[in-house]
Amino acid sequence: MKDKIIVFSVVGLITLVGNWVGYGVSPIKAFPGMVVIALIAIIGYLLSKIIPIKLPAVFWVALLAILISSPIFPGHAFFTKLTDEVNILALATPILAYAGLSFGKDIGVFKKLSWRIVVVSLVVFTGTFLFAAILSEFSLRLFGKI
Amino acid sequence: MNNILKNAKIHFLVLIIVIISEIIGTKTLNVGIGVIALFPMLYAMVLGGIISLPSIKFLNTKEMNKAAHFLGICFMLFVIKVATAIGPSLPKIFDVGIPLLIQEAGHVLGTIIIGLPVALLIGMKREAIGATYSIDREPNLAIIAEKYGADSPEGRGALGVYICGTVFGAIYVAFLASIIGGWGIFHPISLAMAAGVGSNSMMAAATGALSVIYPDLKDDLIVYAGAANLMAGAIGIYVCIFFSLPFTARMYTWLEPLLGRKKAAVKKEETGL
């Protein structure tokens, strides 16, 4: 848990810098929102330890965050006003930087893969995106939503 | 405290990468078949990737494993940010509840419908089942390992796609989203739901690309992508166990004699693993 709190704090601070450089939001203004996000992470994580239903921690964390930001929760507007200051793309940039830095450990195995699996991967990613887009478009139109 | 200092190198690198990436900012690149969106998280991934290349010898395996460990932890923050965008829009999401469920079938079937025939045509055998029954992220690996064993052909196929997803999945999906989004035949909401694909980094990258194309709809895009992604996460495992995997295995026995190559020569080299 201590490990997680440290990582949340460090990533939170890096995000505030990125949010400032890339989206012009001053770190002072976005700080409370970042704290709220980190607190939800910690509480959600603790909840997942207490609740006897076995589901990944991320599920409880997401559920908690949706709950306190949804219209049924008193004070939801207060929370979302704070978290709105943290740009989602600013939060994604450091995450993908960590992903990039871990890339080297997979490159050895990746080089050993045959060309076939690489081709199939591309087709699989394309297929899932394209078919989801087609079915979304179809069903949204069918129900007159777009 | 000692630990924090030991990890400081990774975090510091991330900070530098983030600053550089955000300064470069969003760019678009016309490549003939469409416009490719380039944006900070892609630069961050590529810069990080270059730094971690074994030939550069700047990071050791232990440090890279640390980076992967931190990645897992901070996904939590990303998920929360997505969830706080979803919360206020719950009524909007319930309104498209049925289309959201239907498109999930596209996510599930899309990998199999074109993936399996292509895999068979280029000469894959049972590896094709693992490779194409799902998008092969962590939970899917666990499912296939349980049913066939991690070192089975099916398991190796799944692991192969998993590795490809880790190495270039996010970047590829971002390109895909910007090209297909640029065609103009799909409504932005359809594209956003499609972007709710696979892992968090794939979703982030695909949604990021769409926000470059539709900057005014940025908030809506993340809501629908996030909803599709969460739904996939909640029901995806059951769909995989009870439908995708048995269905793919059945399709394999049916399609393999029709499309498969007769040569027995291609065996071990199918996945390289």
Side-chain angles (χ1 to χ4, degrees):
Chain A
M1 194 70 220
K2 204 182 123 201
D3 180 35
K4 289 194 173 60
I5 295 173
I6 293 168
V7 177
F8 289 153
S9 316
V10 173
V11 177
L13 290 174
I14 295 174
T15 302
L16 290 180
V17 174
N19 201 39
W20 187 27
V21 177
Y23 307 90
V25 184
S26 115
I28 300 161
K29 217 174 154 198
F31 182 77
M34 201 61 237
V35 172
V36 168
I37 293 174
L39 280 179
I40 298 175
I42 294 163
I43 297 168
Y45 190 76
L46 292 175
L47 269 180
S48 75
K49 298 258 157 193
I50 302 164
I51 298 173
I53 307 167
K54 247 193 104 53
L55 277 171
V58 69
F59 177 83
W60 298 113
V61 170
L63 201 65
L64 179 68
I66 290 179
L67 185 74
I68 72 159
S69 59
S70 69
I72 52 166
F73 190 80
H76 66 94
F78 172 74
F79 287 115
T80 49
K81 196 169 176 291
L82 295 180
T83 56
D84 277 350
E85 297 294 344
V86 182
N87 194 301
I88 190 143
L89 297 177
L91 192 49
T93 308
I95 294 177
L96 287 198
Y98 284 107
L101 289 176
S102 67
F103 171 84
K105 74 181 174 57
D106 298 317
I107 194 76
V109 200
F110 178 68
K111 278 188 186 155
K112 275 193 264 163
L113 293 179
S114 97
W115 61 271
R116 288 189 177 85
I117 200 82
V118 178
V119 170
V120 171
S121 302
L122 292 173
V123 175
V124 162
F125 301 151
T126 312
T128 194
F129 187 91
L130 202 57
F131 274 76
I134 292 170
L135 283 190
S136 302
E137 187 73 22
F138 171 76
S139 55
L140 285 168
R141 282 185 194 211
L142 187 70
F143 290 93
K145 302 299 180 192
I146 50 172
Chain B
M1 201 60 208
N2 204 4
N3 248 330
I4 301 176
L5 287 177
K6 256 193 265 168
N7 299 333
K9 180 176 167 188
I10 298 284
H11 296 309
F12 187 70
L13 279 172
V14 169
L15 176 66
I16 301 293
I17 292 172
V18 165
I19 293 175
I20 295 172
S21 306
E22 294 292 357
I23 286 176
I24 302 173
T26 301
K27 302 263 185 282
T28 51
L29 192 71
N30 200 327
V31 288
I33 48 164
V35 172
I36 289 179
L38 301 173
F39 46 102
M41 70 178 104
L42 291 188
Y43 317 143
M45 195 167 186
V46 172
L47 284 173
I50 293 170
I51 293 171
S52 81
L53 281 180
S55 51
I56 291 191
K57 293 194 172 72
F58 192 66
L59 293 178
N60 58 40
T61 312
K62 215 176 144 203
E63 287 164 331
M64 292 182 213
N65 285 328
K66 279 262 172 197
H69 172 68
F70 298 145
L71 171 71
I73 298 176
C74 52
F75 267 144
M76 210 74 117
L77 301 178
F78 180 76
V79 169
I80 294 169
K81 176 61 204 177
V82 174
T84 57
I86 292 176
S89 312
L90 272 187
K92 242 184 189 164
I93 290 167
F94 287 139
D95 187 47
V96 294
I98 298 171
L100 203 52
L101 260 178
I102 294 176
Q103 69 82 32
E104 214 48 68
H107 273 143
V108 172
L109 291 171
T111 62
I112 310 168
I113 290 178
I114 33 178
L116 189 59
V118 169
L120 292 174
L121 283 172
I122 60 175
M124 267 197 182
K125 297 293 171 197
R126 295 197 69 86
E127 279 77 359
I129 296 175
T132 65
Y133 92 102
S134 76
I135 191 149
D136 289 316
R137 301 324 297 159
E138 283 90 345
N140 311 113
L141 286 186
I143 293 168
I144 204 122
E146 199 163 294
K147 177 141 184 194
Y148 294 99
D151 199 35
S152 60
E154 293 85 352
R156 285 199 302 274
L159 186 62
V161 175
Y162 171 77
I163 295 165
C164 291
T166 311
V167 171
F168 60 74
I171 290 178
Y172 178 69
V173 175
F175 287 169
L176 198 65
S178 44
I179 298 278
I180 295 179
W183 291 347
I185 54 170
F186 292 114
H187 191 277
I189 297 180
S190 308
L191 293 166
M193 287 184 184
V197 55
S199 64
N200 282 314
S201 38
M202 287 191 197
M203 177 187 96
T207 315
L210 292 176
S211 346
V212 175
I213 305 177
Y214 300 103
D216 303 339
L217 296 172
K218 215 180 82 195
D219 298 333
D220 272 354
L221 293 172
I222 195 67
V223 166
Y224 291 109
N229 191 266
L230 273 180
M231 186 179 268
I235 62 170
I237 292 178
Y238 301 101
V239 174
C240 275
I241 295 172
F242 296 112
F243 172 73
S244 310
L245 191 50
F247 177 72
T248 314
R250 175 65 59 87
M251 290 294 282
Y252 176 84
T253 46
W254 185 59
L255 282 177
E256 205 278 330
L258 299 173
L259 302 175
R261 293 218 195 139
K262 300 286 178 284
K263 277 183 286 178
V266 277
K267 250 205 145 170
K268 194 74 184 171
E269 54 160 306
E270 283 168 28
T271 59
L273 287 166

